[in-house]
Amino acid sequence: MGFERAVVTGGAGFLGSHVCEALLRRGTRVVCVDDFRTGSVDNLPDDPRLGVVTEDVAKPLDLLGNVDLVMHLACPASPLDYLRTPVDTLKTGGFGTLHALELARRKDARIVIASTSEVYGDPLEHPQRETYWGNVNPIGPRSVYDEAKRFGEALTCAFRREYGTDAGIVRIFNTYGARMRPDDGRMIPTFVRQARAGEPLTVHGDGTQTRSLCHVDDLVRGLLSMADCDHAGPVNLGNPEEVTVLEVARKVVELTGSTSTIEHVDAMTDDPRRRRPDISRARELLGWQPEISLDEGLRRSFDRHLVG
Ligand code: NAD
C-alpha cells in the first residue's frame, strides 16, 4: 500500500529517522515534526521530499495539506533522557499523543502509536503477551515514561472507539542500531563506547537480567507493516531471543576486539529482571518476525558507526 504524505513525529530521533528514510524509499513524502530535544538534524536524510517542522508535540499540531499516515514516535526513549525532565516526559507522552491523534482524526489518516514494552513494567508473566496488563509502579521515577505510554494507549483506544480513528498501537521492545547517541545511556551504545575507549563495561547488578534486542532494520519493517494494515493492536514488536546483559557485554567486547573488562555497578531502580516479547500476534497479523541475529545486528551497527 502506498501513502502519499506521512507525518513522522520524533523523526529526527534514532527510530524516527530510520522510519523517515524507509518511507521516502517507498515514494512517500514525509514531514518530520520534532523539537530536537534528543534528536539531531544530522540523522535526517537530505531529500527534497522531506520537510521539517520544529515543534513540541505537547503543543497542538496543525499542518496544511493532506496527510494519510501519522507515525507517532516523539518521546525521549532513553531513561537518562526521560528522567532528566520528568514533567515534560509526561506532557510528551500525554498531550503529544493527544495532538498526534487529533491530527490523524482531522486528516482521516492511519496513525501508528509507538508504545513500549515498559507498559508491562517488571512483568510477572513471561514471555509477555499483549493480553498481559503489566506490573508498573505508578509512583516510581520511571513511571513518568511507563504511565505516560499507558495513558497514550488508553487515549488511542478511546479515539478508535469514540471517533473511529484508524489507530494502531505497537509495543516496541529494546531496539538498537546505527544513530543511537553514544551518551544516551542505553545499554548497547554505552557498551560500545566503553569498549572502544578501553574502559570497563558497566553492568548494572549481577548482569543475569535479560533483554531481547531487535535490530532497527527489523523493527522498521514491522512498524511499516503496522502502518499498511488497519489493525488496532496492540502488537508486540521485538526480538524474542533472550540474552543476559552480561552476555551482551561479552559479545560487544569480543566484536570490537576490545581489551575492556566488565565491572558490576548498582542495579537501577525498577529495572525489569526479564523482558521477552511473545510475537505470535505480529507473526499472525503482520506476517512479521525479526530476521537479523544479534551478532549480525551488532556488526551492522558498528559498520555504520553506531557511536562516534
Ligand atoms: P529518541 O530519543 O532517539 O527519539 C525521540 C525523538 O522524539 C527525538 O528526535 C526527540 O527530539 C523527539 N521528541 C521527544 N519529545 C518531543 C516533543 N515533546 N516534541 C517533539 N519532538 C520530541 O528515541 P527512539 O529510540 O528513537 O524512540 C522513538 C519512539 O519509540 C519513542 O516513542 C519511544 O518511546 C519508542 N520506543 C523506543 C524503543 C527503543 O528501543 N528505541 C523501545 C520502546 C519504545
Side-chain angles (χ1 to χ4, degrees):
M1 194 161 94
F3 294 101
E4 259 181 44
R5 187 166 178 249
V7 167
V8 181
T9 73
F14 162 50
L15 291 182
S17 61
H18 288 273
V19 170
C20 289
E21 258 180 9
L23 286 166
L24 288 165
R25 267 199 305 272
R26 286 167 37 147
T28 303
R29 283 181 298 139
V30 176
V31 181
C32 158
V33 179
D34 204 299
D35 68 358
F36 299 96
R37 67 181 65 191
T38 58
S40 163
V41 76
D42 298 337
N43 288 339
L44 289 169
D46 185 15
D47 189 313
R49 294 164 307 149
L50 175 74
V52 178
V53 173
T54 306
E55 200 65 77
D56 179 351
V57 289
K59 297 191 190 125
L61 266 179
D62 206 9
L63 283 176
L64 293 174
N66 76 305
V67 171
D68 46 9
L69 174 67
V70 178
M71 301 293 285
H72 178 52
L73 293 132
C75 183
S78 154
L80 208 67
D81 290 330
Y82 66 67
L83 292 174
R84 227 186 322 258
T85 53
V87 173
D88 249 8
T89 300
L90 279 160
K91 282 188 186 165
T92 298
F95 299 131
T97 304
L98 172 69
H99 297 139
L101 284 161
E102 279 173 343
L103 178 72
R105 181 180 173 217
R106 267 197 317 276
K107 301 289 184 186
D108 203 16
R110 167 76 170 158
I111 177 167
V112 175
I113 302 284
S115 184
T116 168
S117 57
E118 303 283 342
V119 299
Y120 300 123
D122 192 0
L124 303 175
E125 186 180 296
H126 200 75
Q128 292 82 53
R129 282 175 300 178
E130 291 86 348
T131 45
Y132 178 52
W133 291 354
N135 177 37
V136 173
N137 172 1
I139 57 167
R142 290 170 73 120
S143 68
V144 295
Y145 182 70
D146 307 357
E147 294 290 20
K149 289 287 184 179
R150 287 168 69 97
F151 174 78
E153 289 200 9
L155 200 58
T156 304
C157 294
F159 263 72
R160 209 174 155 107
R161 281 189 202 108
E162 192 169 341
Y163 307 128
T165 307
D166 181 13
I169 299 166
V170 289
R171 291 183 179 153
I172 302 171
F173 284 65
N174 281 0
T175 303
Y176 67 97
R179 298 199 201 116
M180 295 181 92
R181 294 187 344 260
D183 60 349
D184 88 354
R186 287 186 265 190
M187 178 175 63
I188 292 198
T190 305
F191 285 167
V192 175
R193 176 173 51 76
Q194 291 169 330
R196 285 193 168 152
E199 294 165 5
L201 272 64
T202 45
V203 167
H204 292 271
D206 64 5
T208 56
Q209 67 274 33
T210 67
R211 294 293 179 266
S212 57
L213 300 162
C214 188
H215 188 263
V216 64
D217 293 350
D218 275 332
L219 201 276
V220 168
R221 205 168 33 80
L223 285 175
L224 292 189
S225 305
M226 192 62 179
D228 286 338
C229 67
D230 58 3
H231 294 304
V235 177
N236 287 339
L237 291 181
N239 194 323
E241 204 176 303
E242 200 177 354
V243 281
T244 68
V245 169
L246 206 52
E247 280 173 288
V248 179
R250 290 191 182 126
K251 227 179 242 300
V252 170
V253 170
E254 185 192 311
L255 288 171
T256 50
S258 168
T259 53
S260 293
T261 53
I262 289 170
E263 186 181 297
H264 293 271
V265 295
D266 288 346
M268 289 202 281
T269 317
D270 298 332
D271 198 25
R273 288 287 314 156
R274 297 184 78 184
R275 232 352 127 51
R276 179 180 161 207
D278 179 317
I279 59 162
S280 317
R281 192 179 279 182
R283 282 199 177 100
E284 199 180 304
L285 291 183
L286 311 176
W288 178 88
Q289 62 181 24
E291 288 165 359
I292 302 165
S293 69
L294 183 58
D295 277 41
E296 167 60 19
L298 286 173
R299 259 185 229 109
R300 279 192 200 187
S301 310
F302 299 146
D303 287 352
R304 289 162 67 192
H305 304 293
L306 170 73
V307 295

